[in-house]
Amino acid sequence: MTRKKIVAGNWKMNGSLETNERLLDGVLAEIESENALVIVAPPFTYLSQVSGLVKGTGVSLAAQNASQYLSGAYTGETSLTMLKDLSVEYVLVGHSERRTYYGETDHVVAEKTKAILESGLTPILCIGESLEERQAEQTLVVCANQINAVLNEIGVSSFAKVVVAYEPVWAIGTGLSATAQQAQDVHEFVRKHIATQNAEIAEKVQILYGGSVKANNSEELFSMPDIDGALVGGASLIVEEFVGIIKSAG
Ligand code: PGA
């Protein structure tokens, strides 16, 4: 089956009113006839601005995080209803920076994924092993556990509406991308793992690769049968790089 490719830009804690506009102007001018679904995830403060800039362009908006709670006394948090107000459609969940720096456990990630689905938005669920885990040959076990935590919470039928992003922690922001084959091996494993519960859903799930994706390695990554796009950090802040990645998605 052919799954639509997704190229999502995770801006992390970068940008300003001025640079956001310049970046989007540059990207939008170049990608009109591209096939991939393009998503951008700016910081919360700029969601409103970017929501306006991408309106009617075909580019979708993502948030980098969201609260698992509906509303109330959660200082500093942002609810899914607020995100919907700004036409956000996707929410990153379980990014390794959230897991590592902000203590988001598998349980929290599962709760957030459930809340995102219940609100009608689409989670982009990030999984991936650390360097130590890869060296200890624990990659597949770690990824299976991270997927299981969510599967147990939401059930396999809800997985049809989840986008998975495999992001080996050692490849994020390091310039050291996984090889296309290394990524493919994990993507194939993740798909088969989901297929043990429901083969039809596993076939449909879009699995993105993330970790030092650039315009010069994206084409090879995208040529792999189980790689359905990319979650791009650093290179999504550079017009030529992000456009190059989008174009290589066919
Ligand atoms: P990177 O980040 O492309 O800068 O490695 C990817 C990510 O963290 O989503």
Side-chain angles (χ1 to χ4, degrees):
M1 86 163 279
T2 48
R3 290 173 294 266
K4 193 177 173 73
K5 292 267 193 308
I6 296 177
V7 177
N10 173 11
W11 294 1
K12 308 194 179 184
M13 198 172 73
N14 295 292
S16 68
L17 287 172
E18 195 193 325
T19 60
N20 298 343
E21 189 161 352
R22 213 181 313 137
L23 174 61
L24 282 169
D25 277 353
V27 170
L28 291 170
E30 297 282 338
I31 61 162
E32 222 163 291
S33 58
E34 300 306 323
N35 290 322
L37 170 63
V38 178
I39 302 174
V40 289
F44 285 114
T45 42
Y46 299 122
L47 281 171
S48 182
Q49 176 204 19
V50 174
S51 179
L53 290 171
V54 300
K55 199 172 179 191
T57 65
V59 172
S60 295
L61 192 59
Q64 296 176 18
N65 184 26
S67 173
Q68 63 273 51
Y69 306 117
L70 286 178
S71 66
Y74 300 102
T75 302
E77 291 291 296
T78 306
S79 80
L80 288 153
T81 336
M82 296 169 189
L83 297 177
K84 280 169 74 171
D85 249 357
L86 298 176
S87 309
V88 168
E89 293 175 77
Y90 296 83
V91 183
L92 301 187
V93 60
H95 190 282
S96 71
E97 287 151 18
R98 302 286 325 164
R99 292 180 190 261
T100 310
Y101 305 147
Y102 302 99
E104 289 194 9
T105 59
D106 278 348
H107 177 66
V108 168
V109 171
E111 278 190 316
K112 288 191 174 192
T113 307
K114 184 162 180 248
I116 295 164
L117 287 168
E118 282 172 356
S119 74
L121 301 186
T122 302
I124 301 179
L125 168 66
C126 305
I127 60 165
E129 81 288 1
S130 66
L131 184 60
E132 298 70 44
E133 289 162 343
R134 174 158 284 261
Q135 285 167 343
E137 295 179 11
Q138 292 299 301
T139 298
L140 302 183
V141 177
V142 169
C143 291
N145 287 342
Q146 290 173 337
I147 291 276
N148 287 345
V150 176
L151 268 175
N152 293 341
E153 181 78 27
I154 65 170
V156 72
S157 51
S158 299
F159 234 82
K161 296 188 213 90
V162 175
V163 174
V164 176
Y166 167 58
E167 298 204 303
V169 180
W170 47 271
I172 296 178
T174 58
L176 192 76
S177 170
T179 64
Q181 191 58 53
Q182 278 174 323
Q184 165 60 24
D185 289 347
V186 179
H187 285 226
E188 188 182 349
F189 168 79
V190 168
R191 197 175 305 287
K192 286 195 172 142
H193 185 70
I194 300 166
T196 60
Q197 294 200 18
N198 188 319
E200 205 182 313
I201 285 174
E203 201 46 38
K204 284 191 192 138
V205 170
Q206 287 152 303
I207 309 177
L208 317 183
Y209 168 77
S212 298
V213 177
K214 305 267 184 301
N216 67 10
N217 62 11
S218 54
E219 191 172 348
E220 194 188 354
L221 286 160
F222 295 159
S223 71
M224 292 292 164
D226 289 293
I227 300 184
D228 306 314
L231 180 54
V232 187
S236 73
L237 300 168
I238 303 164
V239 173
E240 306 76 61
E241 285 289 335
F242 197 50
V243 167
I245 295 166
I246 294 165
K247 290 193 187 241
S248 71

